[in-house]
């Protein structure tokens, strides 16, 4: 009886243990199935969310793309600032720039046209003077451009007329002054525009500042917005005037340096001409 009871208890215990282990196995498999069932749902949700985000980003890019493409060019910016500064006042420095550039370009072209190979020219004149052919030397001067050839022609003409060395020197010096005046033609106007452009800009600024203070008075408020707009617009004329003056000053310095070089060659060539005539006894002492 005791053995039967012990065997029955052992059988019940084994049955209970098997059932408990089977239940634990099912419990472990259930979360895995739930995870496998949840994972597709989560992946689908993530994919749908990603698609929504991508569509939103694309819409934002499409909306922002036109704004990024609208970039003002340099000419458009200048035009905008010209209108903001007031066409009436901004036009004055612009006129100075146009007229000044016209004079500067004309002078530069003329000075380059007047430039010649001085050494070659003097050598040709000397060969004719050594040969005693003053008329041939004068013909070379007539066919050569520039102030140096003109000065040489005047000196040779006085020498061919039997003038003394003093007459030849005075003729060369006098005509050299005339040629220097022709070289510097128009520079006085260029210097005027250089000085006038900033003054016109300052005048526009002062008038603009007066308008800004009038706007403050009318508004009854000295808020930064009212002051900043008026001052920024007023200062544009000063900037325009200074830019014009800087550009024209560069051209002016280049032209004056070119004239100085031509004048130095004129003086050296004049001395060479006088020495040449004295050495070959083409003039009276």
């Amino acid at each position: 009886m005791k053995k039967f009871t012990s065997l029955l208890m052992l059988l019940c215990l084994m049955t209970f243990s098997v059932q408990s282990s089977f239940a634990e196995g099912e419990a472990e498999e259930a979360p895995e199935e739930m995870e496998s069932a949840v994972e597709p749902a989560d992946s689908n949700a993530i994919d749908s969310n990603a698609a929504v985000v991508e569509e939103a980003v694309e819409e934002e890019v499409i909306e922002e793309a036109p704004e990024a493409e609208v970039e003002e060019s340099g000419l458009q910016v200048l035009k905008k600032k010209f209108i903001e500064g007031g066409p009436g006042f901004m036009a004055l420095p612009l006129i100075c720039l146009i007229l000044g550039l016209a004079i500067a370009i004309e002078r530069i072209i003329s000075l380059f046209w007047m430039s010649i190979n001085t050494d070659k020219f003097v050598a040709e004149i000397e060969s004719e003077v050594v040969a005693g052919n003053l008329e041939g030397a004068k013909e070379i001067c007539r066919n050569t451009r520039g102030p140096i050839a003109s000065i040489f022609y005047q000196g040779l003409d006085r020498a061919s007329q039997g003038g003394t060395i003093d007459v030849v020197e005075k003729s060369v010096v006098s005509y050299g002054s005339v040629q220097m005046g022709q070289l510097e033609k128009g520079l006085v106007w260029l210097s005027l525009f250089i000085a006038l452009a900033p003054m016109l800009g300052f005048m526009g600024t002062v008038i603009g500042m007066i308008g800004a203070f009038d706007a403050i008075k009318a508004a009854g408020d000295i808020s930064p917005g009212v002051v900043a707009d008026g001052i920024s617009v007023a200062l544009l004329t000063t900037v325009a005037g200074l830019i014009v003056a800087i550009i024209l000053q560069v051209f002016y310095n280049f032209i004056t340096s070119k004239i100085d070089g031509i004048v130095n060659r004129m003086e050296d060539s004049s001395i060479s001409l006088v020495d040449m005539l004295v050495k070959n006894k083409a003039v009276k002492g």
Side-chain angles (χ1 to χ4, degrees), residues 13 25 30 44 47 76 78 127 134 197 199 214 225-226 230 237 251 253 285:
L13 181 62
N44 293 331
D47 293 336
Q76 291 176 345
L78 290 176
S127 63
L134 295 181
M199 293 181 184
D214 290 339
V226 176
T237 56
F251 280 96
N253 289 350

Side-chain angles (χ1 to χ4, degrees), residues 191-245:
S191 61
L192 173 64
F193 293 138
I194 292 172
L196 191 61
M199 293 181 184
L200 294 173
F202 291 141
M203 183 181 69
T205 299
V206 173
I207 295 175
M209 292 292 291
I210 293 172
F213 285 115
D214 290 339
I216 294 171
K217 182 178 178 181
D221 187 12
I222 195 170
S223 62
V226 176
V227 178
D229 290 339
I231 293 176
S232 63
V233 171
L235 293 177
L236 287 175
T237 56
T238 299
V239 174
L242 293 175
I243 291 174
V244 171

